[in-house]
Amino acid sequence: MLPALTVHVRAHADTTVVALVGELDLDTRDQVTNVTDALPPLSGQVLVLDLARMTFMDSTGINLFLILRARAHNEGGRLELTDVPRQALQVMDLTGTRELFAIRPSSLASRAVDRSDR
């Protein structure tokens, strides 16, 4: 059985791309936080969450994104979400949080993540 979520990371000079593949919910949140907690400080960095292959997200994902947004801000970096699926946008709309995030419709980040990881 395949894991419900896999997390891929690519670090670049001023950007770190974290690609989520699968479902982001209470059962899989720790997989993401284990990876993001291990990232170096985000000073001057952009943390990009590439969501092109995320298949589901509940409010747990919103909470995680808010935590990462606060971390990036506190460390002098910023958070961007790319290729956000329609279902995730609906969750953001229901919770009134969409406008809190820098959302890019299509990302250079997707090209930066090695396609063999996907």
Side-chain angles (χ1 to χ4, degrees):
M1 184 170 163
L2 292 174
L5 181 76
T6 56
V7 182
H8 305 284
V9 178
R10 291 286 182 265
H12 305 279
D14 61 355
T15 304
T16 299
V17 180
V18 177
L20 306 182
V21 181
E23 299 179 4
L24 176 56
D25 57 23
L26 189 58
D27 291 333
T28 60
R29 178 184 185 269
D30 288 346
Q31 290 173 250
V32 181
T33 57
N34 289 341
V35 169
T36 57
D37 286 354
L39 294 175
L42 300 171
S43 179
Q45 292 278 314
V46 179
L47 175 58
V48 178
L49 295 183
D50 178 357
L51 307 177
R53 302 217 23 198
M54 185 178 70
T55 58
F56 173 81
M57 181 186 80
D58 63 12
S59 61
T60 304
I62 297 294
N63 186 48
L64 175 63
F65 297 168
L66 289 169
I67 290 168
L68 291 173
R69 178 180 172 263
R71 174 187 171 188
H73 176 78
N74 291 338
E75 294 178 2
R78 73 177 190 270
L79 173 69
E80 293 183 1
L81 309 179
T82 63
D83 298 303
V84 182
R86 176 176 286 155
Q87 184 272 331
L89 290 172
Q90 290 172 336
V91 174
M92 290 178 186
D93 289 341
L94 286 171
T95 59
T97 57
R98 185 193 278 209
E99 56 277 347
L100 297 177
F101 300 104
I103 298 175
R104 306 291 178 252
S106 181
S107 72
L108 295 175
S110 293
R111 290 182 282 255
V113 173
D114 182 1
R115 295 294 180 188
S116 66
D117 284 347
R118 297 180 146 209

